[in-house]
Amino acid sequence: MKKIGILTSGGDAPGMNAAIRAIVRSSLNKKFNVIGFKNGYDGLIDNKFVNFDRRSVGNIIQHGGSILYTSRSLRFLEEKYRLIAAKNLDKIDIDSLVVIGGEGSARGAKELAKDTKIKVVCIPATIDKDMPLVGKTIGFDTAINTALNAIDKIRDTATTSNVTHIVEVMGRNCGWLAILAGIGAGAEAALIPESKADVDILSKRVINQLKSGKKGCILIVAEGSHLNGNVLAEKLKEKRILDIRITSLGHIQRGGNPSAADRVLASELGYAAVKSVINNTNNVILAKPLDKIKEIPLNKLKTTPNKIDKSLYNLINILA
Ligand code: F6P
């Protein structure tokens, strides 16, 4: 019988609880023991864990945050603390550790795998979607929807009062959140860390939009961009765009009930993590990369049955 540990680490992301639920229930279905470490990697160092049963993950799929809490453990960056964590893990005799978190958490998992005989499986969870190869990350979809919800409200007042609004979104050094929020909100422009915006061009565009009859503009600024909201506002004022307001959405984007997409992704990845544990897989991160757009001949639509995903259908009962 296997014993699995779970932890959530780094910035929390909506859907982490859904992933915990899926791992716990899938483990218990196989009669494995499953425990949860509290406060991310700090919980490994301090040996703080809880035993899970089926009911302890009841009624959590719909909640943001993490019932295991998280940390950005500074101690875990130091080898001496990682060795303490590894020793603790070896003592309580677990086979595999499932780490739910973002890029920094995956780096921590890779380091840990060097110091212990325990196998490590990661599940990508971050609102930033800033992990190469991985594609979708748990929490990203919810964060965009949360941002859109707020920006739609800003749009109402921007249009009514004919004011230019700068909206700062999160994303660390990655522009994904700003890009999708920008498309979804119908923003006039987005500033992202990956591309330096030309303020001359941007201001001309805003002025032309306003001249053409548009009422109010929305400019999205990702947090890692070369200009923050205040600096951009100053620069636009120099170009005679005078009526500007700034809203920073901040941690609102990290909270709230996970979207359908995040609950499903978290459930799938949590279930897959236990499969990886069964296969004794080590040092991996599970991924479900985004599909690309394809051209499909129309006549194929007629002849191809629209199959449901049976494995997703079965997941309802497996995790119930
Ligand atoms: O990684 C998620 C994230 O919300 C980033 O978008 C942001 O840069 C960072 O975490 C904020 O971290 P903290 O909550 O520790 O201030």
Side-chain angles (χ1 to χ4, degrees), residues 169-210:
V169 299
M170 277 188 165
R172 202 179 287 277
N173 298 313
C174 177
W176 268 118
L177 195 49
I179 294 171
L180 268 64
I183 294 173
E188 277 57 53
L191 266 61
I192 56 168
E194 294 85 348
S195 162
K196 209 167 167 185
D198 183 322
V199 179
D200 276 335
I201 297 177
L202 183 63
S203 56
K204 274 183 198 140
R205 190 172 339 144
V206 171
I207 289 165
N208 286 340
Q209 301 253 22
L210 296 173

Side-chain angles (χ1 to χ4, degrees), residues 72 126-128 170-172 223 251 254:
R72 297 191 191 280
T126 163
I127 64 159
D128 301 334
M170 277 188 165
R172 202 179 287 277
E223 72 169 323
H251 286 76
R254 281 244 297 267

Side-chain angles (χ1 to χ4, degrees), residues 1-290:
M1 187 171 68
K2 286 192 187 288
K3 187 168 180 180
I4 302 178
I6 310 172
L7 63 82
T8 51
S9 163
D12 49 284
M16 280 181 160
N17 282 327
I20 295 170
R21 170 184 179 268
I23 300 163
V24 169
R25 297 255 167 104
S26 308
S27 301
L28 295 174
N29 288 346
K30 295 282 170 200
K31 310 251 181 294
F32 297 163
N33 281 321
V34 57
I35 64 173
F37 290 94
K38 294 216 160 175
N39 313 319
Y41 287 116
D42 276 344
L44 294 186
I45 298 166
D46 303 328
N47 216 11
K48 274 203 175 145
F49 61 86
V50 287
N51 291 301
F52 279 127
D53 61 29
R54 279 196 106 71
R55 292 295 4 121
S56 46
V57 292
N59 238 329
I60 65 167
I61 192 168
Q62 71 273 36
H63 294 302
S66 165
I67 58 165
L68 287 174
Y69 310 109
T70 67
S71 64
R72 297 191 191 280
S73 176
L74 292 176
R75 287 186 293 163
F76 200 71
L77 297 175
E78 292 179 47
E79 194 185 11
K80 69 172 182 191
Y81 286 109
R82 282 202 303 275
L83 290 176
I84 295 174
K87 230 170 159 185
N88 286 340
L89 280 170
D90 289 339
K91 244 193 272 164
I92 54 176
D93 203 24
I94 64 171
D95 298 274
S96 299
L97 179 72
V98 183
V99 173
I100 306 169
E103 196 259 331
S105 311
R107 237 181 305 126
K110 200 172 132 220
E111 287 305 312
L112 185 68
K114 289 182 194 161
D115 300 325
T116 163
K117 55 181 185 340
I118 281 148
K119 297 177 187 68
V120 181
V121 174
C122 294
I123 291 184
T126 163
I127 64 159
D128 301 334
K129 193 165 118 60
D130 58 350
M131 304 173 81
L133 303 173
V134 164
K136 295 174 194 167
T137 57
I138 296 166
F140 177 67
D141 183 70
T142 307
I144 308 160
N145 283 299
T146 304
L148 289 182
N149 208 293
I151 300 167
D152 288 348
K153 293 186 168 83
I154 293 172
R155 175 71 81 184
D156 288 346
T157 168
T159 309
T160 307
S161 314
N162 198 12
V163 167
T164 298
H165 280 257
I166 293 173
V167 184
E168 290 180 324
V169 299
M170 277 188 165
R172 202 179 287 277
N173 298 313
C174 177
W176 268 118
L177 195 49
I179 294 171
L180 268 64
I183 294 173
E188 277 57 53
L191 266 61
I192 56 168
E194 294 85 348
S195 162
K196 209 167 167 185
D198 183 322
V199 179
D200 276 335
I201 297 177
L202 183 63
S203 56
K204 274 183 198 140
R205 190 172 339 144
V206 171
I207 289 165
N208 286 340
Q209 301 253 22
L210 296 173
K211 271 191 193 153
S212 77
K214 179 168 256 201
K215 298 270 179 228
C217 278
I218 304 279
L219 308 174
I220 311 276
V221 177
E223 72 169 323
S225 303
H226 71 290
L227 303 176
N228 66 25
N230 286 318
V231 177
L232 177 63
E234 286 314 309
K235 290 194 179 290
L236 291 177
K237 279 179 189 165
E238 286 166 18
K239 308 278 178 195
R240 311 293 308 150
I241 301 167
L242 300 175
D243 213 359
I244 299 177
R245 305 288 185 278
I246 306 169
T247 306
S248 187
L249 298 185
H251 286 76
I252 283 175
Q253 294 155 103
R254 281 244 297 267
N257 303 358
S259 65
D262 278 330
R263 295 182 201 198
V264 173
L265 178 67
S267 300
E268 285 187 274
L269 293 179
Y271 176 64
V274 177
K275 274 195 179 165
S276 299
V277 169
I278 292 168
N279 295 331
N280 292 317
T281 310
N282 192 15
N283 248 321
V284 294
I285 184 155
L286 299 172
K288 196 174 183 195
L290 282 177

